[in-house]
């Protein structure tokens, strides 16, 4: 028997100055990541800031996009050289973001690396990304990402093992130096967790009746999960999942589950003989869009309706300790929380801010307007979980999606809501627009625009109620006396220029006024948003790129 010797190489490197993680990890063009040492520098920065990881277990996987498999081989060799004990890798390199969170928690791992740029397009000319999640299964908090960035700015060397590539397609154990690599089924652990939350028997009886659903995996990571859970386990017909094979370039599409990018699903649900229920998920499986027959549920309403109906789902049958939403998310859930007598927390954008609240059992359901909903079953937002939550509600209530939403509005009032994105604007133009707004803050209170009067306006700052950490400059809020709001913030996930997001919300209690088209209902606020920020003049754009 020959004894293999493994050579740990210490490679000299120089820092890149742009490895600052954004709202959700480090996202850059694939070409940026392919530069010599670019990925290696950042991975070493993770190991040095998240540690000590020596001898411990971490989880590794991604959404299957271009460069996923290559990056996994590099990270495995670096993990071995850095003394990590075991790495659990999703078969074929596939693990959705929620599945990674589940596996980290289930096996008490020290953390996990997720290779994804979520909804950003993939392929050789698209984007790549890397996120680190800590032992609670959630995105690394700001103090950890700040430490990563600090190390990346002064890094001088990284460690990597000279070794053969690992066969990531074969389930089972392999050795890389003295490290164990365990290739695991991408779906099994996650599916088992979901079975413990929902009434699968009841959902199966719904999906094997004349009820029809379609699920659009957008050629991204949720394909295998959708096939296994909705079709194999819950008995939905084999054509239920659309675009169910993860492709490196997502078939050239933009894996963002909204009315614009999930257009094929939208056509089916708004077409002739439409199914009862439709849903889509994003690149890495943490977002969801919920549709009824010819009916769109806004993510903010979805969170409110889930909260109001939570006791219909076995895992939440005793009620919720509390809920949380990101600041730009509509206040629909606040009204439900008030009625239930439970707290509702308002956090900055990004799932990492929900982690402490869930760990401390202060919030059980959380949501963001950007098609993200989740609960304390893991520490990430979870697309398939949200779809099952709706299916569970539908199976119990035996009403249509539209009826459930309309009854909800009747009871709580309707929060008309929309987000207008101006994508890839020159960064300095967006910065000056935000500064222009900031300059006006002291003078906004009391200003009137027709029936709207500004009650307060500020630059949102959040103090974490658990650890006291403060996150400032999280978006400009303009709140009107009737509860309507305009929020302005810059995206932290884009890779080209800056993306300005404008969030518009108007509350309507009177149910005879619940049938307006959303943009129409928000018309006056849209004008005020432009008047305050002079968007057209400052961005040189006459309309948003995407309206959701
Ligand atoms: C966007 C969304 C935010 C979400 C983040 C990551 O961030 O607005 O709500 O948490 O994406 O989601 P930003 O900074 O671009 O607005 V995902 O599914 O892309 O990991
Ligand atoms: Co995502």
């Amino acid at each position: 028997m020959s004894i293999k010797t493994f050579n740990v190489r210490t490679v000299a490197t120089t820092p890149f100055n742009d490895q600052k993680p954004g709202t959700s990890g480090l996202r850059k063009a694939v070409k940026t990541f392919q530069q010599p040492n670019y990925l290696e520098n950042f991975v070493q920065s993770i190991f040095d800031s998240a540690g000590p990881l020596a001898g411990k277990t971490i989880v590794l996987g991604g959404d299957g996009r271009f460069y996923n498999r290559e990056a996994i081989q590099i990270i495995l060799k670096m993990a071995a050289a850095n003394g990590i004990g075991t790495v659990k890798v999703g078969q074929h390199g596939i693990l959705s973001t929620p599945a990674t969170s589940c596996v980290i928690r289930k096996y008490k791992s020290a953390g996990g690396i997720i290779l994804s740029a979520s909804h950003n397009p993939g392929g050789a000319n698209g984007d790549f990304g890397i996120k680190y999640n800590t032992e609670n299964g959630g995105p690394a908090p700001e103090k950890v990402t700040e430490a990563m960035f600090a190390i990346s700015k002064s890094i001088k060397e990284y460690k990597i093992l000279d070794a053969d590539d690992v066969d990531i397609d074969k389930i089972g154990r392999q050795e890389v130096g003295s490290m164990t690599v365990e290739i695991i089924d991408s779906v099994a652990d996650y599916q088992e967790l979901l079975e413990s939350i929902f009434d699968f028997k009841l959902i199966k009886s719904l999906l094997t009746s004349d009820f029809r659903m379609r699920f659009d995996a957008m050629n991204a990571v949720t394909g295998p999960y959708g096939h296994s859970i909705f079709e194999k386990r819950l008995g939905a017909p084999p054509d239920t999942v659309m675009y169910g094979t993860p492709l490196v370039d997502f078939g050239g599409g933009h894996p963002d589950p909204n009315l614009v990018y999930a257009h094929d699903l939208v056509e089916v649900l708004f077409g002739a003989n439409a199914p009862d229920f439709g849903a889509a998920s994003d690149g890495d499986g943490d977002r969801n869009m919920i549709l009824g027959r010819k009916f769109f549920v806004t993510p903010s309403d979805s969170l409110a309706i889930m909260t109001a109906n939570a006791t219909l789902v076995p895992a939440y049958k005793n009620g919720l300790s509390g809920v949380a939403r990101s600041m730009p998310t509509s206040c629909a859930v606040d009204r439900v929380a008030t009625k239930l007598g439970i707290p509702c927390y308002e956090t900055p954008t990004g799932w990492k801010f929900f982690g402490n609240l869930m760990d401390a059992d202060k919030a059980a359901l959380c949501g963001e307007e950007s098609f993200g909903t989740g609960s304390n079953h893991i520490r990430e937002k979870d697309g398939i979980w949200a779809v099952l939550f709706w299916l569970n509600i539908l199976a119990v209530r035996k009403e249509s999606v539209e009826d459930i939403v309309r009854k909800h509005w009747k009871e709580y009032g309707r929060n008309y809501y929309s987000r207008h994105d101006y994508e890839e604007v020159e960064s300095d133009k967006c910065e000056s627009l935000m500064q222009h707004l900031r300059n006006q803050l002291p003078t906004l209170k009391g200003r009137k625009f027709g029936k709207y009067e500004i009650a307060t306006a500020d630059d949102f700052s959040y103090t974490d109620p658990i650890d006291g950490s403060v996150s400032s400059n999280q978006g400009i809020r303009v709140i009107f006396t009737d509860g309507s709001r305009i929020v302005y913030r810059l995206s932290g996930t884009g890779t080209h220029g800056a993306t300005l997001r404008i969030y518009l919300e108007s509350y309507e209690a009177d149910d005879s006024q619940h049938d307006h088209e959303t943009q129409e209902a928000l018309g006056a606020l849209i004008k005020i948003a432009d008047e305050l920020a002079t968007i057209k003049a400052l961005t040189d754009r006459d309309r948003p790129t995407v309206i959701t």
Side-chain angles (χ1 to χ4, degrees):
M1 194 179 99
S2 69
I3 295 176
K4 267 193 188 167
T5 52
F6 288 92
N7 180 27
V8 173
R9 264 190 304 133
T10 300
V11 181
T13 186
T14 49
F16 294 88
N17 58 11
D18 64 348
Q19 297 193 322
K20 186 177 169 54
T23 312
S24 181
L26 180 69
R27 288 187 197 180
K28 298 284 172 196
V30 165
K31 297 214 152 46
T32 304
F33 269 104
Q34 286 173 322
Q35 296 171 85
N37 296 347
Y38 194 91
L39 175 71
E40 290 84 346
N41 276 17
F42 192 68
V43 171
Q44 189 65 51
S45 305
I46 291 177
F47 290 153
D48 291 347
S49 52
L53 294 173
K56 300 210 170 131
T57 298
I58 63 165
V59 181
L60 174 62
D63 63 12
R65 69 177 59 222
F66 190 89
Y67 203 51
N68 195 47
R69 296 178 70 98
E70 293 82 351
I72 284 178
Q73 298 297 346
I74 294 171
I75 295 169
L76 286 175
K77 289 167 199 172
M78 288 185 65
N82 279 275
I84 287 170
T86 301
V87 185
K88 288 182 184 289
V89 185
Q91 188 183 21
H92 313 304
I94 294 285
L95 265 186
S96 74
T97 289
T100 309
S101 185
C102 159
V103 174
I104 293 173
R105 293 168 67 79
K106 179 169 177 179
Y107 298 101
K108 306 207 169 357
S109 312
I113 292 176
I114 304 169
L115 303 173
S116 172
S118 189
H119 57 284
N120 296 28
N125 297 313
D127 288 340
F128 191 73
I130 175 164
K131 323 187 249 190
Y132 186 76
N133 283 28
T134 51
E135 63 183 338
N136 73 347
E142 282 192 323
K143 62 173 189 309
V144 178
T145 55
E146 276 158 18
M148 282 171 196
F149 182 44
I151 292 171
S152 78
K153 284 188 292 190
S154 61
I155 189 164
K156 293 194 175 60
E157 56 186 42
Y158 64 83
K159 289 200 188 82
I160 190 161
L161 193 77
D162 285 325
D164 291 337
D165 279 2
V166 173
D167 180 356
I168 59 173
D169 299 315
K170 200 176 91 203
I171 302 249
R173 281 165 186 269
Q174 298 167 53
E175 305 297 323
V176 177
S178 49
M179 181 179 87
T180 303
V181 176
E182 229 183 284
I183 308 298
I184 61 168
D185 185 283
S186 311
V187 182
D189 293 308
Y190 173 72
Q191 179 167 333
E192 186 188 290
L193 175 64
L194 294 177
E195 293 206 31
S196 73
I197 296 172
F198 299 103
D199 189 339
F200 266 46
K201 207 169 147 211
L202 190 68
I203 299 174
K204 184 167 186 177
S205 67
L206 179 74
L207 293 183
T208 50
S209 68
D210 54 6
F211 179 95
R212 287 179 301 131
M213 80 170 265
R214 296 304 289 279
F215 175 78
D216 185 353
M218 304 191 83
N219 296 310
V221 81
T222 50
Y225 298 86
H227 284 307
S228 176
I229 296 169
F230 301 127
E231 295 172 358
K232 278 206 201 86
R233 175 65 182 82
L234 292 167
D239 63 349
T240 297
V241 177
M242 311 161 50
Y243 302 117
T245 305
L247 301 176
V248 285
D249 65 349
F250 307 125
H254 198 132
D256 202 350
N258 59 40
L259 293 175
V260 180
Y261 293 122
H263 41 79
D264 291 357
L265 176 75
V266 171
E267 252 165 48
V268 174
L269 266 292
F270 284 78
N273 192 25
D276 303 274
F277 180 71
S281 192
D282 70 335
D284 61 331
D286 55 0
R287 297 188 183 200
N288 71 92
M289 174 170 70
I290 300 294
L291 301 174
R293 178 180 293 137
K294 298 188 170 50
F295 196 81
F296 166 64
V297 186
T298 71
S300 298
D301 279 348
S302 178
L303 174 66
I305 291 165
M306 285 180 177
T307 303
N309 290 278
T311 53
L312 303 182
V313 175
Y316 315 100
K317 67 172 191 297
N318 297 326
L320 307 169
S321 54
V323 288
R325 62 164 172 82
S326 70
M327 183 273 281
T329 303
S330 101
C331 301
V333 70
D334 303 41
R335 294 178 183 276
V336 180
T338 303
K339 187 152 185 181
L340 293 173
I342 57 175
C344 177
Y345 296 88
E346 184 176 43
T347 60
T349 293
W351 209 261
K352 56 180 173 262
F353 296 103
F354 295 132
N356 279 350
L357 294 172
M358 288 195 271
D359 285 348
D361 200 24
K362 289 185 178 296
L365 292 198
C366 302
E368 295 191 282
E369 54 62 46
S370 54
F371 299 82
T373 347
S375 91
N376 54 3
H377 66 296
I378 51 171
R379 294 294 179 272
E380 282 281 4
K381 51 190 189 278
D382 189 343
I384 301 250
W385 168 90
V387 176
L388 288 168
F389 203 116
W390 267 93
L391 287 171
N392 204 144
I393 294 174
L394 291 167
V396 175
R397 288 188 49 172
K398 300 186 170 53
E399 294 165 86
S400 72
V401 172
E402 176 165 356
D403 285 348
I404 288 174
V405 176
R406 288 196 180 278
K407 282 187 189 164
H408 186 91
W409 291 340
K410 205 173 161 91
E411 185 173 352
Y412 294 94
R414 176 172 181 185
N415 293 68
Y416 281 101
Y417 188 86
S418 181
R419 186 175 100 186
H420 290 194
D421 291 334
Y422 293 77
E423 294 180 335
E424 301 189 12
V425 179
E426 290 89 324
S427 299
D428 51 344
K429 286 187 176 161
C430 283
E431 291 299 341
S432 47
L433 183 146
M434 292 301 283
Q435 196 47 49
H436 174 60
L437 284 168
R438 249 177 235 121
N439 295 344
Q440 295 176 65
L441 285 177
T443 62
L444 288 181
K445 190 179 156 118
R447 261 184 79 179
K448 289 195 183 117
F449 305 82
K451 69 164 188 169
Y452 291 101
E453 178 181 343
I454 298 179
T456 56
D458 65 1
D459 193 347
F460 182 59
S461 169
Y462 177 67
T463 304
D464 185 294
I466 316 300
D467 65 18
S469 59
V470 177
S471 305
S472 356
N473 302 320
Q474 297 295 320
I476 305 279
R477 295 192 288 189
V478 179
I479 304 175
F480 297 87
T481 48
D482 70 345
S484 297
R485 303 189 307 161
I486 302 173
V487 173
Y488 305 81
R489 63 177 279 282
L490 299 184
S491 157
T493 56
T495 53
H496 303 282
T499 290
L500 170 68
R501 303 203 195 284
I502 299 166
Y503 309 81
L504 304 137
E505 172 180 9
S506 157
Y507 178 67
E508 179 57 69
D510 176 359
D511 70 314
S512 74
Q513 299 300 316
H514 287 170
D515 289 319
H516 296 291
E517 195 277 323
T518 300
Q519 301 305 315
E520 226 172 82
L522 294 169
L525 281 179
I526 294 170
K527 283 209 189 80
I528 300 170
D530 189 38
E531 196 174 328
L532 288 174
T534 51
I535 304 163
K536 295 190 175 94
L538 288 177
T539 62
D540 277 339
R541 300 281 180 92
D542 59 358
R543 66 173 74 94
T545 331
V546 179
I547 295 180
T548 50

